[in-house]
Amino acid sequence: MSGFLGLDVQYSGTVPALLEGGRPLPVGDGLRVRIPHAYGEGVGWGSAAARCFLASGRATADRLLEWRRDPWDAGFLTGLRDRVARYLGLPEGAGPAPGYRVVLCAGPGTPADAEEYVEEAGLGGALRVGPAEALLCRRLASPGQPLPTGALLAVVVGERWSVLAPFRVMRSDGGSVVLTRTGPDTVLAQGGGEWTELLAGRVLARCREDAPAADLLALADGVQECAARLAQADAVEWQGAYAERLFAPLVVRGAELAADPAVADGLRLLGQSARAAVPGPSSVVLGGPGAVWPAIRSVLADPAAGGSVWCGPDPATDLAAGAAWWPLLRSCFAPVPSAGYAVDAVGAVPAVPAQPDRDPDAESSAPSSPSSPSTGRSGSGSGPFSPGSRRSDPLEVLPPWMRP
């Protein structure tokens, strides 16, 4: 057997997708497709560990991610290795699955040495692919209507960031698709996480005081389900976790959510950045966990420009599935010009905090709680982006998959 394991590592959870010749299948942890970044001695791993951290006390908004820990720590990665081994019918701790290769979807905040963590955990060597390229691989591999030729904008909405990348789609004499970069990534410091926190906060604000924290994981799941339902109706009644504990039924209106200051500015910036990246008629490929929100799709649809927006049926798995397809579809992407492209960042993209034991100088530090941010070698490589930041040499920030 052989195949590719695509990994989409977001702020609070990771989606693994295994490609073995058919279509990529999410591995999950047995309870969720997006595996929570929770682990610890005596509490388990993934969803089981997160539930242990939330086993007592009442539900409050600040406990929504109380269980979150560093996804690049050996505690999470070795758990992922064992889960993949079980999925493939191998003994736990058997080491890298023979014939399988890990492909990381390297979004903003991914450590510069993430491949080392993956290999040290026993998952084997890893490749990298950018979020825009991973999304376009997902689109290329999807059945149905082929990509239209002309200008194209890939929009990836992660949990705490968004990436916009312009391309031009052409077809060779043989009819095969060729995607050519026409500009840099635009990186925004907003994603789908703000929407999740907004709706979860509204639910909890209506809850009775005896609402247990143990259901907070189910609350986050219910937010995603509610977002998907809003794609079919302007307003829906909340039916997720704590519904029976609300003082009164909660009707969720998409337009009302989109107008809330917590997400409105980010939504407006996304639309402005999209128009600046690819002016004029173009098609948009949208994906990533945040793409489930219909207001994000609407702000990218510009009828006056004559463009169209494609979004798959399961945006949460787009990046992991696309990463798994990358080794087989990378030939569809034209080489980047030798001058390269710098990253055009807007706002500050949060780095992934490391665990204290990652930093040799931090050995004397007091241990932090699972959700406490700390510093170490697993930050964002070159540090968080600053507004309007640019490097003098674009090749310094050019990711490996874009280098000539």
Side-chain angles (χ1 to χ4, degrees):
M1 297 177 65
S2 62
F4 300 98
L5 179 68
L7 295 181
D8 171 27
V9 184
Q10 297 287 331
Y11 182 77
S12 67
T14 288
V15 174
L18 194 65
L19 176 65
E20 296 182 296
R23 61 185 180 88
L25 297 175
V27 174
D29 64 2
L31 292 174
R32 286 174 176 79
V33 169
R34 180 169 294 278
I35 302 171
H37 293 153
Y39 52 88
E41 187 175 353
V43 297
W45 178 82
S47 294
R51 289 194 302 189
C52 282
F53 284 118
L54 299 171
S56 61
R58 55 185 290 261
T60 56
D62 59 352
R63 297 192 66 187
L64 195 62
L65 296 180
E66 181 179 71
W67 41 264
R68 183 200 169 275
R69 299 188 67 185
D70 178 17
W72 302 106
D73 187 83
F76 181 77
L77 292 177
T78 54
L80 179 61
R81 175 203 65 197
D82 292 342
R83 170 58 183 161
V84 172
R86 289 196 302 272
Y87 188 86
L88 295 173
L90 301 173
E92 292 188 7
Y100 288 83
R101 187 73 185 272
V102 173
V103 186
L104 296 173
C105 178
T110 301
D113 48 358
E115 294 91 338
E116 295 180 20
Y117 303 157
V118 170
E119 190 163 9
E120 289 170 1
L123 281 162
L127 303 172
R128 283 193 182 213
V129 61
E133 283 78 6
L135 175 60
L136 290 176
C137 284
R138 163 70 182 87
R139 173 66 178 89
L140 288 170
S142 64
Q145 188 175 1
L147 270 176
T149 57
L152 177 145
L153 181 65
V155 180
V156 186
V157 184
E159 189 177 348
R160 298 222 167 175
W161 48 260
S162 298
V163 170
L164 299 86
F167 288 82
R168 178 161 294 278
V169 182
M170 298 173 287
R171 280 185 169 77
S172 66
D173 294 338
S176 58
V177 173
V178 178
L179 295 103
T180 304
R181 274 268 183 171
T182 58
D185 281 347
T186 298
V187 181
L188 309 181
Q190 295 86 22
E194 293 86 355
W195 292 78
T196 298
E197 293 167 6
L198 171 61
L199 183 49
R202 291 191 177 188
V203 173
L204 292 172
R206 290 187 174 221
C207 273
R208 300 198 304 264
E209 291 187 0
D210 62 345
D215 292 335
L216 284 172
L217 275 177
L219 172 62
D221 296 339
V223 167
Q224 298 301 302
E225 294 168 3
C226 185
R229 291 170 60 209
L230 283 171
Q232 308 298 324
D234 295 333
V236 298
E237 185 174 333
W238 175 258
Q239 298 176 349
Y242 305 116
E244 74 287 353
R245 295 177 178 271
L246 301 183
F247 292 120
L250 173 63
V251 177
V252 182
R253 294 179 173 83
E256 184 180 315
L257 281 179
D260 192 286
V263 298
D265 288 344
L267 195 61
R268 190 178 308 111
L269 180 59
L270 181 65
Q272 293 171 349
S273 300
R275 290 188 290 273
V278 182
S282 63
S283 59
V284 176
V285 175
L286 171 65
V292 69
W293 294 97
I296 291 177
R297 306 180 200 183
S298 298
V299 79
L300 295 171
D302 186 358
S308 62
V309 178
W310 179 92
C311 186
D314 189 8
T317 63
D318 281 345
L319 302 183
W325 276 113
W326 169 248
L328 303 176
L329 296 177
R330 63 191 304 174
S331 60
C332 296
F333 294 80
V336 173
S338 58
Y341 290 118
V343 173
D344 186 9
V346 181
V349 179
V352 177
Q355 294 302 109
D357 58 4
R358 281 293 177 85
D359 188 346
D361 298 327
E363 291 180 358
S364 59
S365 302
S368 59
S369 64
S371 58
S372 300
S374 55
T375 58
R377 66 171 184 160
S378 86
S380 59
S382 56
F385 296 107
S386 58
S389 63
R390 286 276 191 173
R391 300 293 187 89
S392 57
D393 180 1
L395 291 180
E396 291 181 4
V397 295
L398 194 65
W401 60 88
M402 291 173 56
R403 292 173 186 163

